[in-house]
Amino acid sequence: AAGAGLTLDEVAAEALGALGPKQGMLPASAAQATTEAAPVADDGWLRCEVVVENPHGLHVRPAARLVAALKPFAAELRLQKGEKEANPRSLSRLAMLDVRQGDRLILLARGEDAGAALSCFQQLARDRFGD
């Protein structure tokens, strides 16, 4: 995260977010999963679906490019792969999705620049996330 140019606060948040996989193994994870349920489509969420073409999926470099590309947008963002969901501004959360070639990703966005965030995501996917 630091190498991707994130601030100290963002790096600290990434470090805390890396606890997610360990917390997911604890019994209390069921309550946490409920709070991260997919947003309802009629709540103002816009969506963009892409298929990952990268031969090695979203490994660290393309995932870091995605995080950096979406960072400037004010819109609320959620990235989904199947039943899993992650904050696309968190490198550690993206890693938990384990995105591989051929996987379908859906970016959900709502807020003032949601459309621009989705366009950026779509273009980045066309460019194979810079990889």
Side-chain angles (χ1 to χ4, degrees):
L6 299 182
T7 67
L8 289 176
D9 289 337
E10 292 168 326
V11 172
E14 283 293 317
L16 289 174
L19 292 173
K22 292 174 180 61
Q23 290 172 333
M25 292 186 231
L26 300 173
S29 66
Q32 185 181 16
T34 303
T35 62
E36 294 184 15
V40 179
D42 61 356
D43 281 347
W45 290 94
L46 301 176
R47 82 182 242 149
C48 175
E49 184 173 332
V50 300
V51 175
V52 176
E53 296 178 4
N54 301 46
H56 301 290
L58 283 188
H59 57 88
V60 177
R61 281 188 308 268
R65 286 184 191 103
L66 177 57
V67 169
L70 295 178
K71 181 181 175 184
F73 295 101
E76 184 179 349
L77 303 172
R78 295 182 178 185
L79 187 66
Q80 296 175 337
K81 176 192 150 194
E83 298 295 319
K84 295 180 182 179
E85 185 175 292
N87 177 351
R89 292 185 178 113
S90 169
L91 194 55
S92 59
R93 294 291 179 178
L94 282 178
M96 289 173 47
L97 289 180
D98 190 30
V99 179
R100 298 175 187 262
Q101 183 181 35
D103 285 348
R104 291 188 180 279
L105 294 178
I106 299 170
L107 182 66
L108 300 163
R110 73 174 170 191
E112 67 182 71
D113 55 2
L118 293 178
S119 293
C120 176
F121 173 68
Q122 190 171 38
Q123 183 59 49
L124 198 57
R126 276 190 211 116
D127 296 338
R128 295 185 178 191
F129 301 93
D131 208 20

